[in-house]
Amino acid sequence: MTLGHASLPAGLTAGEQHRLDRLRRALARRKRGSNRRGWVKRAIARLAARVTDRRKDWVEKTSTSLARGCDVIRVEALSIRGMTRSAKGTLDQPGRGVRQKAGLNRGILANGWGMLVTRLDHKAPGRMEKVKAAYTSQQCSACGYIAPENRKSKAVFQCVACRFVCHADVNAAKNIAAGRAVTARGALQPLGGAVNREPQLAPLTL
Ligand SMILES: [Zn+2]
């Protein structure tokens, strides 16, 4: 079974995002040390706590159902540290140089992904494998051909060799589920203890 990083919930509903944007603008107007500023900061903290609770809940439910339903779980090995650093900052003070919403969502995604992988490790000991993400998005899951041109857009994968068409995330997920880590030259490297069965794909949209 394969998890797509993109399928993790970002955490904020549209309404909450709107409220957060308003609170941030209000925060910028309030004087440091004022009562009103304190109130705005507490409102932002409450919103952050709600997002954290929801994310934890999702991580627990998802890791339990995966650990119960799958013999082998393969996940994309991501640089969580790198991603988290790029989205450094908190809800009320997003990192500089990071667009607020993008930075926040990226941080939540990276954080949620790391939490999920950690919990899977606990709930399915010895049954989780991390697959390097390199080239999984450029490789055709039908014929194995690797080329940047295969990736027509963020969403569409179309193999220039065999014409296989697929959603780009699903194509990458199939490569990861097959347990293939790919080198720059395109040689397939089977992982140790590869399981000889068709991968199941379960897009996680909870
Ligand atoms: Zn192909």
Side-chain angles (χ1 to χ4, degrees), residues 140 143 159 162 164:
C140 174
C143 77
C159 179
C162 77
F164 171 72

Side-chain angles (χ1 to χ4, degrees), residues 3-206:
L3 306 180
H5 182 248
S7 60
L8 280 155
L12 288 172
T13 65
E16 287 163 349
Q17 182 63 54
H18 181 69
R19 179 167 160 75
L20 179 62
D21 291 343
R22 284 182 53 189
L23 285 167
R24 275 179 178 154
R25 283 196 296 273
L27 189 70
R29 288 193 302 268
R30 303 300 176 210
K31 277 203 200 97
R32 289 195 174 276
S34 70
N35 282 339
R36 281 168 183 264
R37 186 181 168 89
W39 184 91
V40 173
K41 287 195 92 159
R42 282 193 296 280
I44 291 176
R46 278 197 300 275
L47 201 53
R50 200 196 296 169
V51 173
T52 302
D53 284 349
R54 191 182 303 151
R55 189 174 56 206
K56 277 185 187 159
D57 186 57
W58 182 87
V59 163
E60 288 308 318
K61 282 183 179 149
T62 304
S63 55
T64 297
S65 95
L66 286 171
R68 278 193 195 142
C70 307
D71 296 325
V72 175
I73 303 158
R74 293 202 175 102
V75 300
E76 194 177 338
L78 296 167
S79 170
I80 302 296
R81 206 177 281 238
M83 290 190 64
T84 310
R85 200 181 304 136
S86 77
K88 204 159 51 177
T90 60
L91 270 178
D92 57 333
Q93 292 180 323
R96 268 195 294 175
V98 179
R99 280 191 305 124
Q100 289 195 348
K101 193 177 168 187
L104 171 68
N105 286 344
R106 220 179 300 137
I108 288 170
L109 285 173
N111 201 343
W113 182 258
M115 278 167 57
L116 182 65
V117 170
T118 303
R119 294 302 285 140
L120 278 171
D121 234 354
H122 294 151
K123 293 181 184 178
R127 294 189 285 129
M128 194 187 67
E129 297 171 3
K130 291 183 185 176
V131 178
K132 284 218 176 70
Y135 300 101
T136 50
S137 64
Q138 293 180 15
Q139 184 182 28
C140 174
S141 62
C143 77
Y145 185 71
I146 299 171
E149 299 77 42
N150 285 349
R151 191 74 184 267
K152 297 297 172 204
S153 69
K154 200 175 181 306
V156 179
F157 182 95
Q158 188 184 6
C159 179
V160 295
C162 77
R163 298 281 146 205
F164 171 72
V165 179
C166 192
H167 190 286
D169 286 341
V170 174
N171 180 71
K174 283 182 176 176
N175 286 331
I176 294 165
R180 294 191 288 223
V182 183
T183 68
R185 288 193 314 271
L188 297 178
Q189 297 181 323
L191 291 179
V195 177
N196 190 16
R197 71 163 67 94
E198 284 295 301
Q200 291 169 274
L201 291 169
L204 286 171
T205 41
L206 297 181

